[in-house]
Amino acid sequence: MKGLLATGFTAIGTGSAAMLTLHAGSDLDPLHSVISEYAYQSAGWLLPASLTLFAAGSALIAEALRRSGTNRWVVVLLLVWGASMFLVGAFPTDRPGVPLSLSGGIHRYAAFVAFLVMPVAGMLLARANVRFARTVRALSGVALGALLLVVVPYVVRMFGIPLASEDIPAGLTQRAVVITELGVLALAGLSMLKPSARASGPGVTPIMA
């Protein structure tokens, strides 16, 4: 159990470091440029590498949760999040101004699925009264709110209203989703480190030392 969690946290930490390195070496505006655009920077390979590490970390933490007896839907949703993040990295988005391609479509909808399922997993986890339940619930709520702000511009454009990336802080809202969801994932793992901190509840079994 501890080995799974340690490896999972290492994957998430390494993925975060890769993402920060990618941002530090880019001249894009993080307020308006979405993360996907960084794939076309000189160190763009760090983006799929980072997302793959996030996916691996999610799978490892999900397996630790499964072994602990956590609600199986939480486990499933974490696996879906990880698979979606892997697809986001494997299928790059289209360059700005280019019509939506198959790769771009997979990228876009996989990102939406990932952004949606993690807050749901967090809410389910919080209901089980695990350690950090209040923080997990709060982060999940922020993630859902930020996701709504991410989706609104796409809905506006569907109605034929022109809306350029420079007109909205698309990069900021997207990063808010990613950061809060990584926080939910990390707390999901941390909640299992102390057996005494886990309260009994639906679908939760105390972890043996």
Side-chain angles (χ1 to χ4, degrees), residues 109-182:
Y109 293 111
F112 177 75
V113 170
F115 289 171
L116 182 61
V117 299
M118 183 60 81
V120 177
M123 291 296 186
L124 290 175
L125 195 61
R127 286 182 60 187
N129 294 320
V130 296
R131 192 183 180 203
F132 309 118
R134 289 185 179 179
T135 306
V136 169
R137 184 179 293 108
L139 286 176
S140 299
V142 172
L144 284 174
L147 175 59
L148 179 61
L149 294 177
V150 169
V151 172
V152 166
Y154 292 96
V155 176
V156 170
R157 293 185 184 110
M158 286 176 60
F159 286 94
I161 302 175
L163 191 63
S165 298
E166 294 76 14
D167 299 329
I168 53 175
L172 177 63
T173 54
Q174 188 190 68
R175 284 165 179 76
V177 176
V178 173
I179 291 171
T180 51
E181 295 198 356
L182 285 174

Side-chain angles (χ1 to χ4, degrees), residues 18-135:
M19 186 68 75
L20 290 173
T21 301
L22 175 60
H23 278 64
S26 171
D27 57 358
L28 293 178
D29 176 14
L31 183 63
H32 298 96
S33 299
V34 296
I35 298 173
S36 302
E37 294 178 20
Y38 284 73
Y40 297 105
Q41 297 293 292
S42 58
W45 62 272
L46 286 171
L47 180 58
S50 174
L51 296 176
T52 300
L53 286 166
F54 290 158
S58 179
L60 290 164
I61 290 175
E63 174 59 17
L65 285 166
R66 186 192 68 80
R67 293 186 184 185
S68 75
T70 300
N71 185 318
R72 64 188 179 92
W73 284 111
V74 174
V75 176
V76 170
L77 290 172
L78 290 187
L79 291 174
V80 170
W81 187 88
S84 298
M85 294 300 280
F86 176 79
L87 290 175
V88 171
F91 294 90
T93 190
D94 301 305
R95 291 180 180 273
V98 176
L100 186 65
S101 66
L102 176 60
S103 177
I106 294 174
H107 179 96
R108 176 179 299 180
Y109 293 111
F112 177 75
V113 170
F115 289 171
L116 182 61
V117 299
M118 183 60 81
V120 177
M123 291 296 186
L124 290 175
L125 195 61
R127 286 182 60 187
N129 294 320
V130 296
R131 192 183 180 203
F132 309 118
R134 289 185 179 179
T135 306

